[in-house]
Amino acid sequence: DAGVTQSPTHLIKTRGQQVTLRCSPISGHKSVSWYQQVLGQGPQFIFQYYEKEERGRGNFPDRFSARQFPNYSSELNVNALLLGDSALYLCATQESPGETQYFGPGTRLLVL
Amino acid sequence: AQRVTQPEKLLSVFKGAPVELKCNYSYSGSPELFWYVQYSRQRLQLLLRHISRESIKGFTADLNKGETSFHLKKPFAQEEDSAMYYCALSGTNAGKSTFGDGTTLTVKP
């Protein structure tokens, strides 16, 4: 197993555009969480999905949305991008909530 | 509200010296506390969690509910311990995880 994978690895967008980030979990993991990590800060929780349902949401605007598919992979969508959305976006997966989180390598988003 | 504070951005010790990375938290219920580590050019990974009461790579951490702290300790630091360390908290529903801003540990030869 390659572990948690994320795509793309890097992305450059301009203000106002929309972006979709993808995460594939470790086989058998049914929970996916998304985090935003701004340079110099710790990861900040955006969403958690378990069994295709939203289980938790952090303090992010409605421009951020996510979903989980039947194969437990997940997408994070961000609309109307702002400069402040530039960050590393991390995905972490678990067998179920409360179990050990395994992180992906992240997608680095730059908004110009 | 959940909050995790790591007061030291940078910590430098010599090889063989004891090391303590501080973590304080605020949470109204019974939290679960974690330490994560990120070595250079590697992804973030779990180091230890308080419910396991394990010692991983010589590191231990004790949850002190009175002082709301979960400090990470190692009696004899090694150069390979140089990394970024994050303290994190998860609430009772095991949903939202809150991370501190991390401490960069450098162990000098």
Side-chain angles (χ1 to χ4, degrees):
Chain A
D1 198 330
V4 179
T5 59
Q6 292 185 242
S7 62
T9 55
H10 296 83
L11 203 52
I12 300 175
K13 293 285 188 178
T14 57
R15 281 179 297 175
Q17 285 189 310
Q18 174 264 340
V19 68
T20 297
L21 311 180
R22 296 175 177 83
C23 173
S24 292
I26 293 170
S27 177
H29 286 197
K30 300 179 180 179
S31 173
V32 175
S33 296
W34 287 96
Y35 295 86
Q36 181 195 65
Q37 187 172 22
V38 173
L39 196 62
Q41 297 181 17
Q44 190 172 358
F45 175 80
I46 310 176
F47 287 111
Q48 184 186 56
Y49 276 77
Y50 176 56
E51 290 282 14
K52 292 156 282 184
E53 292 193 1
E54 183 183 301
R55 200 170 178 277
R57 172 184 284 254
N59 189 24
F60 279 81
D62 291 343
R63 299 185 296 107
F64 288 76
S65 63
R67 54 180 175 167
Q68 187 176 32
F69 298 99
N71 66 355
Y72 302 108
S73 66
S74 177
E75 286 183 351
L76 175 70
N77 294 283
V78 187
N79 294 322
L81 285 167
L82 302 174
L83 297 180
D85 295 331
S86 295
L88 180 69
Y89 288 84
L90 294 168
C91 166
T93 75
Q94 305 161 284
E95 289 185 14
S96 61
E99 298 298 318
T100 298
Q101 289 192 92
Y102 292 85
F103 282 82
T107 293
R108 190 163 295 281
L109 171 65
L110 178 60
V111 182
L112 301 176
Chain B
Q2 299 177 195
R3 186 176 182 89
V4 175
T5 302
Q6 294 180 249
E8 303 138 329
K9 276 261 184 224
L10 302 170
L11 185 61
S12 182
V13 300
F14 284 101
K15 176 183 172 181
V19 61
E20 180 178 70
L21 291 87
K22 292 185 168 54
C23 172
N24 292 93
Y25 68 90
S26 65
Y27 184 69
S28 55
S30 293
E32 184 166 4
L33 276 296
F34 306 82
W35 277 98
Y36 287 84
V37 60
Q38 187 165 25
Y39 300 103
S40 179
R41 288 183 287 279
Q42 295 187 25
R43 59 185 71 185
L44 195 59
Q45 60 184 284
L46 179 69
L47 179 63
L48 55 80
R49 57 198 297 179
H50 88 272
I51 60 170
S52 301
R53 295 187 173 275
E54 294 176 300
S55 172
I56 306 294
K57 300 185 178 183
F59 284 98
T60 59
D62 291 318
L63 179 60
N64 186 325
K65 292 187 177 181
E67 295 183 359
T68 59
S69 68
F70 188 57
H71 302 328
L72 184 68
K73 301 176 184 178
K74 185 169 182 176
F76 307 103
Q78 303 299 314
E79 289 180 68
E80 54 266 31
D81 296 328
S82 295
M84 173 71 88
Y85 291 81
Y86 292 97
C87 181
L89 175 158
S90 179
T92 49
N93 69 353
K96 175 180 179 179
S97 290
T98 299
F99 283 75
D101 285 338
T103 297
T104 301
L105 173 65
T106 302
V107 181
K108 296 179 287 188

